[in-house]
C-alpha cells in the first residue's frame, strides 16, 4: 500500500481545483505555522501504543492531541447515507462494504469524521487530508448507532 | 416471486384460495425426533384467533405439538401490517414418521409435510471430527496437491491427507430463498438438519424485521447437551462469531449479529474454543471492542473455568495445564492466512505476530477433548480458503488448503489410534474457480497474457518443497499454477502472487460501485478484467456447484450419493445416536 509521500497540503489550490465554494477561513498552513502543523499531524500507524487480543491502547500521541486541532491523511469510506453527518476515514481504500454486507467488519483503526460544513465526497482511491479537533473515547452516533473510539470533529478535508 | 413459488409447491392449494399462509418448519423439513423447534404460521391477512385451524396428522396442533400458543394479531414491518401469526416455541415430536400439517384461517390454507426421523439407540461413533474448509472447491484440492507434492509426467508426486479419505457424497448447498448460498445457511444445514435462508443460522427466516425472533431449530451442540455428556470443540481461523463456527451453537436471522452470537457461544459453552474474534469478547469500554454493552466475556469464560490463551506460546502452556476447558483467542478479527503468518509476514501479522495455525489448534483441541471418556464433537474450520477466494487471491486460498490438509492429517492420526472416531471432510459451498494451466515467466516477451500456458504449453509448475514441510518454499516460482474465477468485480489480473498482502481487487466509490483497484494497474503486464456481476459486488461470489463430502470411520456409511446439505445432519445424528438419551 503506497503511503502518500509528499504533496504537502495546499489548501487554497486544492479547494480551487475541487471547485468548492468553501471559505478558506483557517490558513493553518501559513508559512510560519508549518512546523507547528507537522507536530499535530497524526498517522494511522501512530494511533495505538499497544495492540493485543485483549484490547488496544491509544498512543501517548493520541492522548496528547485529544481535544486539539490535528491533521490526518487517509481514505474516505463511502458514506453510510448520502446525508450522514459523518464519514469513516480509513488507512487504505475500503475493498469491502461493512455497511452493505451483514458479515463485513470495519478495520480496527478507523477514525470517524464529523464535518463542520457539508462537503462533496471524493473518489475512494483519493488520499485526503482531514483537519479538525481530535476526540478520543467511545461515542455512539445518535442517528445511526455507529460506535467510534476516535473522531475528528468540526472537520474539513481536501484531496492531497 | 417467493410467494408465487410457495403457492406452486404447496402440496395442496385449495381452488379459489387467494392467499396462502407460510408454515415453519417449511414443507419437506426433516426433523430429528425429540429435538425442540419453534413452530410458526404466518398468515397473509389479519385473521381472528378463533378462525385459526391447525392440525398435525388430523390432531389439533396444541395437543400434537404441546407448547404455549402465542397468537400475534398483527405482525408489522415498521408501520406496514404483515398479517397475523401463530407461534409455538420449543415444541417436540417424539415419534418418527411422516407428519402432515394442515393450516387454515379465513380464505388462507396451507398444507406442509414433515419427516421426523429417529436414530438407532446405540451410537456408532464415540467421537466426530467435522473438518470443513470454507468455500472448498475441487480446484483448491487439485492446486493444493500440485503445489504441495508436485507432479511428474501427469502423475502427482505425492498424496494429500484428504486424498485418502473416501469421497462419499455430493452435497447440494442451495438456500431456502435462493439457488445461491452463503456460509450461514450452509453450515446451519449441516449443524441442524434444516435448510434456511442466506445469512440465517439455526432458524427459519420469518418475515418480521427482528433478527433474533425467527423460529429456531435445534443445533448439534444443543442436541449433544440434551442427549449426551460429550464435549464440544470449535476451532477456526476466522472470528469465532463468523458464520461457520457460529452455526454450531447460534440462532439468528442475521449472521452479522456477532455480539449476540458471542453470547450464544457462552450459553452453550463448548469446552474448547480456539480462533479469532476477541473484539466481541471485550466490553465496549475497551478499545478494540466491537460490543455495544459492558459484558466482559473473557472474564465470564474464565469464571466458568476456562483457561485463556492469547498467543501460540500461551496455547502450548494451557494445553498442558487445563481442566478440560480452553478459550484461545488469537486475533481481534480473523486470523491471518498461512502464507502471511508463516512465510510473508504480511496482512496483520505485524500486529498479531503470535497467532497459532489450524494444525496446532486442532492438536490442542483433540488432546483436550479426548480426555472426556464420553467422547466429543469437534468442528475444525479452515476459514481463509473462502476469505481469500473472494478477493481472487488464489495463492493464499491454496496455501490455506494445504494447512487444512495438515489438520486433516492430525485428525486421521487421532482416528488411527481411536477407531471409534468418525471423520467428515467437506466444504460448505464452492467458489467459481478453476485451474487452466500455468503462468511461465520464461516465455518470451513482456505481455503476461502470452505467458499463460494452456494445453501442452502449460508444462508442469516448478514449485519446490526442499524442507519437506508440505508447503512450497515459494509461491512466486517462475512457472506457477494459473487459477481463475468465472466471476468477479472489475479488477486487474497481475498473473502473479500478491507478496505484499492479500489481494484487494476492487474498491468502492461514492456511488457504492466497486471499481478496479488502481493499486495493481501498474504491475508489469497487468490486464484489466471487466466484472461480470453487479457493480455492488466487492469480490468473487460463491458458486452453486455441489460440494464433495468425504467420510471415514464408524457412521461414514450414513453419507452416500447426492445429499441435500441438511441430510448430512441426519448422518451425524445417527453416528452419535442423537435420537436416544445417553445420560443416566
Ligand atoms: Zn464466502
Amino acid at each position: 500500500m503506497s503511503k502518500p509521500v509528499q504533496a504537502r497540503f495546499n489548501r487554497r489550490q486544492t479547494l480551487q481545483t475541487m471547485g468548492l465554494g468553501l471559505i478558506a477561513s483557517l490558513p493553518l498552513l501559513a508559512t510560519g505555522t508549518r512546523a507547528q502543523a507537522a507536530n499535530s499531524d497524526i498517522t494511522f500507524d501512530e494511533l495505538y501504543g499497544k495492540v493485543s487480543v485483549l484490547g488496544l491502547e491509544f498512543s501517548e500521541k493520541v492522548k496528547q492531541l485529544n481535544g486539539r486541532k490535528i491533521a490526518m491523511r487517509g481514505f474516505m469510506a463511502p458514506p453510510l447515507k448520502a446525508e450522514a453527518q459523518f464519514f469513516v476515514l480509513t488507512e487504505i481504500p475500503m475493498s469491502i462494504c461493512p455497511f452493505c454486507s451483514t458479515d463485513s467488519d470495519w478495520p480496527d483503526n478507523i477514525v470517524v469524521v464529523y464535518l463542520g460544513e457539508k462537503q462533496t465526497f471524493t473518489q475512494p482511491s483519493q488520499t485526503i487530508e482531514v483537519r479538525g479537533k481530535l476526540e478520543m473515547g467511545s461515542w455512539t452516533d445518535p442517528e445511526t448507532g455507529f460506535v467510534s473510539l476516535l473522531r475528528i470533529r468540526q472537520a474539513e478535508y481536501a484531496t492531497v | 416471486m417467493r410467494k408465487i413459488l410457495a403457492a406452486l409447491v404447496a402440496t395442496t392449494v385449495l381452488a379459489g384460495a387467494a392467499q396462502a399462509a407460510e408454515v415453519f418448519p417449511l414443507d419437506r423439513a426433516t426433523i430429528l425426533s425429540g429435538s425442540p423447534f419453534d413452530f410458526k404460521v404466518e398468515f397473509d391477512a389479519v385473521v381472528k384467533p378463533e378462525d385459526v385451524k391447525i392440525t398435525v396428522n388430523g390432531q389439533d396442533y396444541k395437543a400434537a405439538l404441546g407448547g404455549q400458543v402465542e397468537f400475534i394479531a398483527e405482525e408489522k414491518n415498521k408501520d406496514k401490517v404483515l398479517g397475523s401469526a401463530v407461534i409455538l416455541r420449543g415444541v417436540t415430536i417424539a415419534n418418527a414418521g411422516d407428519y402432515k400439517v394442515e393450516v387454515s384461517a379465513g380464505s388462507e390454507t396451507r398444507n406442509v409435510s414433515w419427516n421426523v426421523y429417529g436414530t438407532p439407540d446405540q451410537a456408532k461413533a464415540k467421537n466426530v471430527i467435522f473438518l470443513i474448509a470454507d468455500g472448498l472447491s475441487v480446484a483448491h484440492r487439485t492446486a493444493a496437491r500440485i503445489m504441495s507434492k508436485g507432479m511428474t509426467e501427469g502423475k502427482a508426486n505425492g498424496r494429500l491427507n484428504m486424498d485418502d479419505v473416501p469421497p462419499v457424497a455430493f452435497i447440494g448447498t442451495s438456500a431456502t430463498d435462493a439457488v445461491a448460498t452463503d456460509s450461514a445457511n450452509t453450515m446451519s444445514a449441516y449443524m441442524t438438519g434444516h435448510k434456511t435462508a442466506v445469512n440465517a443460522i439455526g432458524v427459519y427466516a420469518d418475515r418480521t424485521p427482528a433478527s433474533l425472533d425467527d423460529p429456531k431449530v435445534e443445533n448439534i451442540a444443543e442436541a449433544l447437551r440434551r442427549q449426551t455428556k460429550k464435549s464440544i470443540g470449535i476451532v477456526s481461523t476466522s472470528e469465532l462469531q463468523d458464520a461457520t463456527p457460529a452455526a454450531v451453537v447460534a440462532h439468528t436471522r442475521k449472521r452479522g449479529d456477532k455480539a449476540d452470537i458471542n453470547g450464544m457461544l457462552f450459553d452453550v459453552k463448548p469446552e474448547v474454543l480456539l480462533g479469532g474474534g476477541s473484539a466481541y469478547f471485550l466490553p465496549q469500554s475497551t478499545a478494540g471492542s466491537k460490543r455495544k454493552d459492558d459484558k466482559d466475556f473473557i472474564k465470564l469464560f474464565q469464571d466458568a473455568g476456562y483457561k485463556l490463551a492469547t498467543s501460540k506460546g500461551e496455547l502450548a502452556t494451557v494445553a498442558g495445564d487445563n481442566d478440560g476447558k480452553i478459550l484461545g483467542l488469537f486475533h481481534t478479527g480473523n486470523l491471518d492466512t498461512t502464507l502471511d503468518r508463516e512465510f510473508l509476514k504480511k496482512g496483520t501479522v505485524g500486529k498479531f505476530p503470535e497467532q497459532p495455525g489450524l494444525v496446532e489448534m486442532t492438536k490442542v483441541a483433540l488432546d483436550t477433548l479426548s480426555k472426556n471418556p464420553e467422547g466429543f464433537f469437534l468442528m475444525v474450520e479452515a476459514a481463509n480458503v473462502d476469505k481469500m477466494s473472494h478477493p481472487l487471491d488464489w495463492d493464499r486460498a491454496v496455501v490455506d488448503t494445504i494447512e487444512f490438509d495438515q489438520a486433516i492429517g492430525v485428525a486421521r492420526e487421532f482416528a488411527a489410534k481411536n477407531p471409534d472416531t468418525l471423520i467428515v471432510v467437506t466444504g460448505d459451498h464452492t467458489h467459481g474457480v478453476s485451474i487452466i494451466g500455468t503462468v511461465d515467466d520464461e516465455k518470451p516477451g513482456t505481455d503476461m497474457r502470452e505467458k499463460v500456458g494452456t494445453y501442452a504449453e502449460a508444462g508442469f509448475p516448478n514449485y519446490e518443497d526442499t524442507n519437506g514441510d508440505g508447503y512450497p518454499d515459494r509461491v512466486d516460482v517462475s512457472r506457477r499454477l494459473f487459477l481463475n474465477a468465472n466471476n468477479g468485480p472489475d479488477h486487474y489480473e497481475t498473473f502473479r502472487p500478491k507478496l505484499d498482502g492479500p489481494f484487494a481487487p476492487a474498491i468502492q466509490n461514492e456511488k457504492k460501485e466497486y471499481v478496479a483497484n488502481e493499486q495493481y494497474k501498474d504491475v508489469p503486464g497487468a490486464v484489466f478484467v471487466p466484472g461480470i456481476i453487479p457493480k455492488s459486488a466487492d469480490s468473487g461470489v460463491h458458486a452453486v456447484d455441489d460440494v464433495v463430502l468425504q467420510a471415514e470411520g464408524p457412521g461414514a456409511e450414513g453419507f452416500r450419493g447426492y445429499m441435500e446439505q441438511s441430510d448430512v445432519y441426519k448422518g451425524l445424528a445417527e453416528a452419535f445416536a442423537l435420537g436416544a438419551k445417553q445420560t443416566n
Side-chain angles (χ1 to χ4, degrees):
Chain A
M1 205 54 47
S2 62
K3 298 241 156 126
V5 230
Q6 33 120 298
R8 271 307 316 175
F9 188 85
N10 183 335
R11 205 151 169 281
R12 190 168 306 158
Q13 192 195 338
T14 322
L15 286 177
Q16 278 165 359
T17 49
M18 286 173 71
L20 285 180
L22 258 171
I23 350 84
S25 58
L26 303 163
L28 270 178
L29 287 180
T31 5
T33 59
R34 182 160 289 197
Q36 205 187 325
N39 284 336
S40 63
D41 282 357
I42 187 159
T43 66
F44 276 96
D45 283 343
E46 296 171 331
L47 294 182
Y48 295 100
K50 195 190 103 197
V51 176
S52 89
V53 165
L54 298 179
L56 317 177
E57 245 172 52
F58 288 122
S59 63
E60 283 309 311
K61 185 164 184 179
V62 165
K63 288 175 194 163
Q64 276 165 21
L65 291 175
N66 186 22
R68 290 171 52 187
K69 278 256 174 198
I70 58 121
M72 187 167 182
R73 290 183 180 195
F75 296 89
M76 179 189 287
L80 173 58
K81 291 189 258 172
E83 68 279 15
Q85 289 299 300
F86 67 88
F87 69 85
V88 174
L89 190 70
T90 59
E91 184 176 15
I92 55 171
M94 288 301 287
S95 58
I96 50 157
C97 175
F99 283 138
C100 321
S101 160
T102 166
D103 65 322
S104 302
D105 273 325
W106 290 97
D108 283 333
N109 58 347
I110 57 166
V111 177
V112 164
V113 177
Y114 283 91
L115 292 171
E117 290 178 50
K118 269 212 160 62
Q119 283 185 260
T120 52
F121 291 106
T122 61
Q123 285 296 311
S125 53
Q126 171 72 56
T127 304
I128 58 170
E129 181 159 304
V130 178
R131 300 182 156 250
K133 203 171 87 179
L134 186 69
E135 186 181 270
M136 187 184 88
S138 187
W139 161 262
T140 306
D141 182 70
E143 197 189 327
T144 58
F146 193 79
V147 180
S148 58
L149 292 171
L150 269 184
R151 290 158 302 283
I152 306 175
R153 290 210 182 256
Q154 294 135 43
E156 55 186 341
Y157 68 84
T159 53
V160 180
Chain B
M1 188 62 188
R2 186 163 145 267
K3 286 287 172 215
I4 298 169
L5 281 178
L8 284 174
V9 299
T11 341
T12 316
V13 182
L14 281 192
Q19 296 159 311
E22 186 76 279
V23 177
F24 303 108
L26 292 172
D27 190 35
R28 299 194 290 159
T30 53
I31 303 170
L32 173 66
S33 61
S35 74
F37 62 92
D38 294 349
F39 173 74
K40 183 177 184 190
V41 179
E42 293 180 342
F43 296 101
D44 279 355
V46 172
V47 300
K48 294 196 201 92
E50 58 270 27
D51 290 345
V52 174
K53 188 164 182 278
I54 303 171
T55 59
V56 178
N57 280 356
Q59 190 188 7
D60 181 66
Y61 74 119
K62 289 171 215 134
L65 298 175
Q68 200 68 36
V69 177
E70 196 186 329
F71 179 80
I72 298 135
E74 290 187 358
E75 285 197 320
K76 285 184 179 170
N77 183 358
K78 290 180 188 139
D79 291 334
K80 189 172 178 271
V81 175
L82 304 168
S84 303
V86 169
I87 303 175
L88 278 79
R89 302 266 181 205
V91 302
T92 55
I93 299 177
N95 298 319
D98 290 326
Y99 288 82
K100 189 173 183 191
V101 183
E102 296 175 89
V103 172
S104 70
S107 64
E108 292 183 58
T109 66
R110 185 69 197 272
N111 294 350
V112 302
S113 296
W114 300 331
N115 178 260
V116 175
Y117 58 89
T119 70
D121 287 342
Q122 287 296 315
K124 298 173 189 170
K126 178 180 163 191
N127 313 307
V128 173
I129 310 174
F130 194 88
L131 297 127
I132 188 161
D134 203 302
L136 185 67
S137 314
V138 171
H140 294 120
R141 298 167 181 263
T142 311
R145 184 184 309 113
I146 295 172
M147 226 189 233
S148 173
K149 309 294 177 190
M151 177 176 268
T152 308
E153 294 170 343
K155 290 187 177 178
N157 295 340
R159 297 171 73 83
L160 297 172
N161 294 301
M162 68 173 83
D163 291 339
D164 292 320
V165 183
V168 288
F170 270 168
I171 307 300
T173 64
S174 293
T176 54
D177 57 341
V179 68
T181 202
D182 84 318
S183 292
N185 74 80
T186 54
M187 188 59 169
S188 181
Y190 278 151
M191 295 291 108
T192 68
H194 296 260
K195 285 204 171 195
T196 185
V198 173
N199 291 330
I201 295 171
V203 294
Y204 280 98
D206 72 10
R207 64 187 171 187
T208 61
S211 61
L212 297 175
D213 70 344
D214 296 55
K216 292 187 178 74
V217 290
E218 187 182 51
N219 55 47
I220 194 164
E222 291 161 341
L224 287 164
R225 291 292 190 239
R226 181 169 58 82
Q227 297 287 55
T228 78
K229 286 182 178 160
K230 292 184 192 296
S231 292
I232 299 167
I234 298 177
V235 169
S236 178
T237 43
S238 72
E239 297 173 325
L240 288 171
Q241 309 78 14
D242 202 20
T244 307
V248 181
V249 300
H251 304 277
T252 172
R253 173 67 181 89
K254 259 176 40 207
R255 58 185 283 177
D257 289 339
K258 293 184 191 171
D260 298 301
I261 290 169
N262 205 63
M264 299 175 201
L265 272 173
F266 183 68
D267 293 342
V268 174
K269 295 188 190 62
E271 281 73 9
V272 175
L273 279 169
L274 305 175
S278 67
Y280 296 96
F281 283 75
L282 305 172
Q284 61 178 348
S285 55
T286 302
S289 165
K290 288 188 172 167
R291 298 199 65 79
K292 292 181 183 181
D293 59 29
D294 300 318
K295 286 189 186 143
D296 180 350
F297 279 96
I298 303 271
K299 186 163 186 311
L300 288 169
F301 272 98
Q302 283 177 318
D303 290 349
Y306 284 76
K307 282 273 171 22
L308 176 70
T310 63
S311 66
K312 204 188 260 206
E314 287 177 16
L315 181 62
T317 307
V318 303
D321 172 29
N322 65 77
D323 304 317
K325 293 181 195 170
I326 302 179
L327 173 64
L329 297 169
F330 308 106
H331 202 293
T332 49
N334 297 312
L335 270 62
D336 281 286
T337 68
T338 312
L339 188 60
D340 289 314
R341 238 177 33 235
E342 304 297 329
F343 302 99
L344 301 175
K345 306 294 170 192
K346 292 290 162 62
T348 59
V349 173
K351 287 179 183 166
F352 298 97
E354 293 295 319
Q355 304 168 52
L358 200 64
V359 176
E360 292 147 278
M361 293 196 288
T362 303
K363 275 186 190 154
V364 172
L366 287 173
D367 283 351
T368 311
L369 297 168
S370 61
K371 291 193 180 119
N372 182 349
E374 300 283 328
F376 63 86
F377 172 75
L378 171 63
M379 193 287 296
V380 176
E381 187 207 14
N384 285 323
V385 176
D386 176 74
K387 293 195 189 302
M388 289 297 121
S389 294
H390 279 292
L392 320 178
D393 194 325
W394 306 116
D395 293 283
R396 281 179 174 76
V398 171
V399 172
D400 265 65
T401 307
I402 298 173
E403 181 184 55
F404 176 59
D405 187 65
Q406 298 194 352
I408 295 168
V410 172
R412 295 192 82 219
E413 232 170 82
F414 178 87
K417 292 188 204 122
N418 301 274
D420 42 7
T421 304
L422 167 65
I423 291 181
V424 178
V425 173
T426 190
D428 54 347
H429 59 74
T430 51
H431 276 270
V433 56
S434 275
I435 310 166
I436 60 157
T438 60
V439 176
D440 186 352
D441 290 337
E442 306 300 321
K443 285 193 164 69
T446 53
D447 189 350
M448 287 305 288
R449 200 173 149 183
E450 297 305 324
K451 293 174 191 283
V452 173
T454 60
Y455 301 109
E457 295 305 313
F460 296 100
N462 57 356
Y463 300 103
E464 280 186 319
D465 175 16
T466 51
N467 64 0
D469 64 356
Y471 295 103
D473 299 342
R474 297 163 51 201
V475 289
D476 56 330
V477 293
S478 63
R479 198 163 56 251
R480 49 198 176 264
L481 287 176
F482 191 41
L483 280 78
N484 248 268
N486 61 13
N487 75 91
D490 284 4
H491 67 279
Y492 289 96
E493 171 60 67
T494 68
F495 303 91
R496 291 178 175 85
K498 309 298 184 286
L499 300 179
D500 294 331
F503 189 28
I507 58 174
Q508 203 187 38
N509 69 15
E510 77 290 355
K511 285 181 276 178
K512 301 222 170 204
E513 292 171 351
Y514 281 86
V515 295
N517 191 345
E518 300 278 303
Q519 191 193 332
Y520 303 96
K521 190 179 178 179
D522 299 325
V523 174
V527 170
F528 177 76
V529 181
I532 56 148
I533 49 178
K535 288 178 179 162
S536 57
D538 55 8
S539 61
V541 298
H542 299 166
V544 180
D545 309 1
D546 289 353
V547 158
V548 176
L549 183 137
Q550 298 158 272
E552 63 179 347
E557 67 280 3
F559 312 100
R560 280 293 179 274
Y562 174 78
M563 298 175 81
E564 295 297 344
Q565 203 147 28
S566 43
D567 298 335
V568 171
Y569 184 70
K570 192 174 172 184
L572 298 174
E574 279 179 6
F576 269 155
L578 289 179
K581 188 97 182 156
Q582 293 155 60
T583 52
N584 300 314

